[in-house]
Amino acid sequence: MDKNSSVFLTEVDTYLFGQGTNYEIYNKMGSHIAIKDGVCGVYFSVWAPAAKEVYVVGDFNEWKAYGYDCKPVSDGGVYDIFIPGAKVGQFYKYLIVTQEGEALFKADPYANSAQLRPETASVITDLGQFEWSDSKWIQNKTEEDHLKVPLSIYEVHIGSWKKKNNGTQDGFYNYREIAVELASYVKNMGYTHVELMGIAEYPYDASWGYQVTSYYAPTKRYGTPKDFMYLIDYMHKEGIGVILDWVPAHFPKDAHGLANFDGSNVYEYGDPRKGEHPDWGTKVFDYSKKEVTNFLIANALFWVDKYHIDGLRVDAVASMLYLDYGRTEGNWIPNKFGGNGNLEAVEFIKHFNSIMKHKFPNAITIAEESTAWPNVSGNPDTDGCLGFTFKWNMGWMHDFLEYMQLDPYFRKFNHSKLTFSLRYAFSENFVLVLSHDEVVHLKCSMLGKMPGDLIDKFSNLKLAYAFMTGHPGKKLLFMGQEFGQWNEWSESKSLDWYLLEDSMHQNMKDFTKKCMLMYKKYPALYGTDCNPEGFRWINSNDRNNSICSFLRLSEDGKKNLLFVLNFTPVVREKFKVGVPSKGKYVLVLGSDEENQIKSLTPVKEECDGFDYSVFIDVKKFGISIYEFNITKKKI
């Protein structure tokens, strides 16, 4: 048998592909180095079910189609060809002749590398021979309970986190260069993971990577596939997990991409009422086709298998679930029951989550889902459950930001915006998010959203992050907001790192770091995130004072935390707060730690439904977080 003969498609491969269950199809489809009859070359295969003819053209044949026609492998529309002499690094495309005789030059849907935009060819690549050093990391992740470990995510757009050339033009750092600096920064700040925007290749910078043309290729903007492997491996060595944004909801109409791939609707629904997003100008994947869902599910597995990714944040899940998403009345097609749920997309999502869990239990999946669709997170093998590990808590985000932007005087009239999220906090496995979407396009940066003068803005932002840290749910914060970026985020510019020369911004960064380190230190903040026994209000109804007080409780009753947060600029001296235990309460984080009492001793006075009380001098926009132990598990 020839070396690398395993890359050639078999009857079994094409059958499973047609059934939507060839989960490692990426090892066969696309372009792969192979030896046939003793000759070294490249094996190409592609799915083009409505094509009249299929050719491969590239550097190896001077882009001439004659003699390089692909042959059908099966009746399912899969074509292949072996080209002697083709080699790694050469550019290529598929020339597809439609039934009408039109010639289409298409990038390879399964290509592992692509040219840097604005060029659009695929690149022959060998993903082997990278020496990974993270086997222990992956094993540990496989054995952990993802719900009971800390998950604090630093959302990053590599191209604008930092730039060369004084931030002008592209100025991109290579994956290898950014790995060292980014890992050091994230580790120092106390985050557990980074979430990378825009990694799968895309043509238009301003899409931020959410309009993908090459799903199996890391973007060339920052280097080669091996460079990207280095970044992941280095992050793992430094104890940092890596989550990728993944976009199985839609794709752009670029001529070299998936749209009308062989002159017909191959990857997209044919009816525009189902197959196009009118708001985005993109195509919607046809989840009824097994080959399409195989393409997507295999792609998700590919990133975990080949690149050791720790998880996928799935973009725009709501747009997949609802047939009327972004569509006006009469411009969408109901499902067979007359409803607006996309039943095919639901089955695809369940299939994806189930296979991911069973093949790669080390990896997590996170849904960006903005509606009240039930059971988004949970066991994917349970009826009615979509099966994501976590769901973004968009309801909390909207209410909380509306509350924080209010003049403090009006907060007492909107107190429920602060507290309502606890009514549903345990209905899903949530991640609290303050993402890139909240600091772009006239939305203001996080610091810019805060009311008041300069000092009050910083005080309010610290208060916001303290509340976010204490609220049940894993955490995500977009880059730049940890130090109080003033400008809205733009993919074309570096973050304003010069702000850290100002003591207020440096102090803001230091406070965010304290929040992240506190979060990782205390199991009460992460071990019971998805368990209602891990949270208890002390007083959720003190709207007149706009003071919010609650407990975060550990499973063993040790190292619990008391939060008392003042959302007004009014000082409350010797403010009485009910507490569950008579032991010492020791300050672990405060807004004015030098002038705050370092420990409190409760007195036997009933308050807030508890037998004991403490008296706290609550500062202006005050943050008071105390550690305590309890002798009884139940309180």
Side-chain angles (χ1 to χ4, degrees):
M1 182 178 289
D2 286 327
K3 181 182 179 182
N4 288 345
S5 62
S6 61
V7 304
F8 294 93
L9 284 164
T10 66
E11 267 187 44
V12 173
D13 288 322
T14 55
Y15 171 77
L16 293 176
F17 180 59
Q19 296 298 305
T21 57
N22 194 331
Y23 302 120
E24 297 180 4
I25 191 66
Y26 49 82
N27 288 324
K28 303 284 181 92
M29 299 285 267
S31 62
H32 301 276
I33 301 298
I35 297 175
K36 184 177 182 181
D37 299 330
V39 178
C40 185
V42 175
Y43 175 72
F44 299 86
S45 59
V46 66
W47 180 53
K52 184 177 182 181
E53 299 170 15
V54 178
Y55 301 86
V56 178
V57 294
D59 292 343
F60 38 78
N61 62 5
E62 298 181 341
W63 297 85
K64 296 177 181 177
Y66 181 76
Y68 292 89
D69 51 317
C70 300
K71 305 300 182 185
V73 181
S74 68
D75 295 335
V78 177
Y79 292 78
D80 72 353
I81 187 175
F82 175 77
I83 300 182
K87 57 188 178 182
V88 169
Q90 291 181 319
F91 303 145
Y92 72 99
K93 281 188 177 182
Y94 290 105
L95 168 57
I96 297 177
V97 180
T98 71
Q99 292 295 329
E100 291 74 30
E102 182 183 1
L104 305 176
F105 288 88
K106 290 289 188 175
D108 185 349
Y110 289 86
N112 295 144
S113 184
Q115 282 185 293
L116 177 63
R117 53 91 175 103
E119 304 303 325
T120 58
S122 301
V123 184
I124 299 171
T125 307
D126 182 3
L127 295 184
Q129 300 179 343
F130 182 85
E131 294 186 10
W132 290 93
S133 60
D134 62 350
S135 58
K136 184 64 175 176
W137 168 274
I138 292 174
Q139 184 59 40
N140 289 341
K141 288 296 175 183
T142 300
E143 296 170 355
E144 79 176 17
D145 183 340
H146 301 311
L147 303 185
K148 292 188 175 183
V149 296
L151 179 65
S152 52
I153 303 167
Y154 186 61
E155 187 188 23
V156 178
H157 179 267
I158 289 180
S160 58
W161 186 66
K162 283 190 177 181
K163 283 181 176 287
K164 298 180 180 179
N165 305 326
N166 297 317
T168 60
Q169 299 176 347
D170 280 352
F172 297 139
Y173 281 85
N174 181 275
Y175 290 118
R176 292 176 185 263
E177 295 173 319
I178 206 75
V180 177
E181 194 166 353
L182 181 60
S184 175
Y185 184 82
V186 170
K187 186 176 181 179
N188 177 264
M189 286 295 296
Y191 293 96
T192 66
H193 289 69
V194 293
E195 180 182 314
L196 301 180
M197 297 168 57
I199 295 301
E201 191 61 83
Y202 58 103
Y204 183 45
D205 286 16
S207 80
W208 310 333
Y210 295 119
Q211 295 193 10
V212 179
T213 48
S214 291
Y215 274 78
Y216 286 81
T219 178
K220 188 62 70 70
R221 288 167 176 81
Y222 319 126
T224 68
K226 297 280 176 65
D227 293 336
F228 186 54
M229 290 177 180
Y230 178 90
L231 182 148
I232 307 302
D233 198 48
Y234 189 88
M235 287 287 179
H236 289 171
K237 184 176 73 173
E238 294 300 306
I240 304 298
V242 181
I243 298 167
L244 288 193
D245 279 0
W246 187 54
V247 193
H250 64 124
F251 56 92
K253 298 178 181 179
D254 295 69
H256 69 287
L258 298 177
N260 301 105
F261 187 74
D262 61 5
S264 70
N265 302 118
V266 180
Y267 287 90
E268 66 268 39
Y269 287 110
D271 191 319
R273 292 175 298 170
K274 198 172 181 181
E276 295 197 18
H277 275 303
D279 292 341
W280 302 337
T282 54
K283 297 284 189 178
V284 180
F285 281 106
D286 184 346
Y287 306 108
S288 71
K289 294 179 181 175
K290 299 298 185 182
E291 296 89 347
V292 172
T293 58
N294 200 149
F295 170 82
L296 290 170
I297 291 172
N299 180 244
L301 301 174
F302 165 84
W303 289 107
V304 182
D305 180 17
K306 299 296 186 182
Y307 287 96
H308 297 198
I309 293 301
D310 297 286
L312 297 172
R313 196 280 296 188
V314 184
D315 182 63
V317 172
S319 75
M320 301 165 66
L321 294 173
Y322 295 95
L323 292 165
D324 58 348
Y325 186 93
R327 299 180 177 92
T328 57
E329 185 176 355
N331 290 308
W332 60 278
I333 305 174
N335 62 34
K336 63 183 180 181
F337 301 112
N340 67 343
N342 189 332
L343 306 180
E344 296 150 358
V346 169
E347 287 308 307
F348 158 69
I349 291 171
K350 290 180 179 179
H351 190 178
F352 148 67
N353 278 311
S354 179
I355 293 301
M356 180 64 79
K357 177 184 177 183
H358 290 288
K359 280 188 167 290
F360 296 106
N362 56 295
I364 61 175
T365 61
I366 306 171
E368 184 212 8
E369 205 288 308
S370 54
T371 75
W373 189 285
N375 300 315
V376 171
S377 60
N379 186 346
D381 299 322
T382 301
D383 288 343
C385 184
L386 295 184
F388 288 96
T389 318
F390 298 104
K391 172 184 173 175
W392 274 18
N393 195 334
M394 307 290 277
W396 169 84
M397 179 271 295
H398 286 299
D399 284 350
F400 183 56
L401 290 183
E402 284 185 19
Y403 179 86
M404 290 305 303
Q405 291 177 83
L406 291 169
D407 182 295
Y409 174 79
F410 294 103
R411 286 176 176 170
K412 63 185 176 183
F413 305 113
N414 294 269
H415 194 67
S416 63
K417 290 187 182 299
L418 190 66
T419 61
F420 180 72
S421 57
L422 269 302
R423 291 178 178 266
Y424 59 85
F426 306 102
S427 62
E428 300 274 7
N429 304 326
F430 280 121
V431 178
L432 306 184
V433 291
L434 296 174
S435 75
H436 66 276
D437 277 333
E438 311 319 315
V439 293
V440 294
H441 300 325
L442 304 179
K443 290 186 177 180
C444 293
S445 66
M446 287 301 299
L447 187 61
K449 295 179 193 294
M450 299 298 110
D453 60 20
L454 183 63
I455 294 175
D456 285 354
K457 283 181 179 294
F458 278 101
S459 297
N460 271 281
L461 189 56
K462 290 177 183 178
L463 184 60
Y465 292 168
F467 181 78
M468 180 182 183
T469 304
H471 191 292
K474 310 305 183 186
K475 321 298 177 189
L476 180 146
L477 188 64
F478 182 58
M479 65 181 196
Q481 306 315 315
E482 73 276 13
F483 60 79
Q485 170 98 358
W486 276 115
N487 290 320
E488 294 169 337
W489 172 65
S490 167
E491 81 286 342
S492 63
K493 299 186 297 183
S494 172
L495 294 182
D496 297 330
W497 292 103
Y498 66 85
L499 291 174
L500 290 174
E501 298 173 8
D502 181 279
S503 60
M504 296 187 75
H505 290 276
Q506 181 62 52
N507 184 263
M508 184 71 236
K509 175 175 171 285
D510 292 342
F511 182 83
T512 307
K513 176 180 176 179
K514 288 180 180 179
C515 286
M516 293 299 101
L517 292 176
M518 180 180 70
Y519 170 71
K520 285 204 303 184
K521 178 180 178 181
Y522 287 91
L525 292 176
Y526 62 78
T528 55
D529 255 334
C530 304
N531 183 346
E533 292 186 359
F535 177 91
R536 179 166 175 179
W537 284 114
I538 292 175
N539 191 335
S540 64
N541 297 314
D542 192 1
R543 60 183 67 248
N544 288 329
N545 290 319
S546 293
I547 289 180
C548 184
S549 54
F550 58 89
L551 305 173
R552 290 304 307 270
L553 305 167
S554 65
E555 289 184 331
D556 63 4
K558 299 177 181 178
K559 298 176 75 69
N560 306 288
L561 292 172
L562 161 67
F563 283 72
V564 180
L565 306 175
N566 179 15
F567 288 88
T568 72
V570 180
V571 175
R572 312 282 180 184
E573 293 184 352
K574 301 209 177 292
F575 187 79
K576 190 177 183 180
V577 178
V579 293
S581 173
K582 61 182 180 180
K584 287 284 187 182
Y585 287 69
V586 179
L587 185 71
V588 295
L589 185 64
S591 51
D592 184 19
E593 292 178 356
E594 290 185 4
N595 298 306
Q596 287 179 260
I597 298 174
K598 300 301 185 289
S599 66
L600 303 172
T601 302
V603 296
K604 191 76 166 57
E605 292 184 16
E606 191 278 333
C607 182
D608 299 319
F610 294 97
D611 293 334
Y612 296 91
S613 303
V614 292
F615 295 87
I616 302 174
D617 288 337
V618 177
K619 307 294 183 181
K620 170 183 177 180
F621 297 121
I623 300 164
S624 303
I625 305 174
Y626 288 85
E627 175 189 332
F628 68 99
N629 296 322
I630 53 178
T631 55
K632 296 181 181 179
K633 187 175 180 181
K634 301 285 186 181
I635 63 170

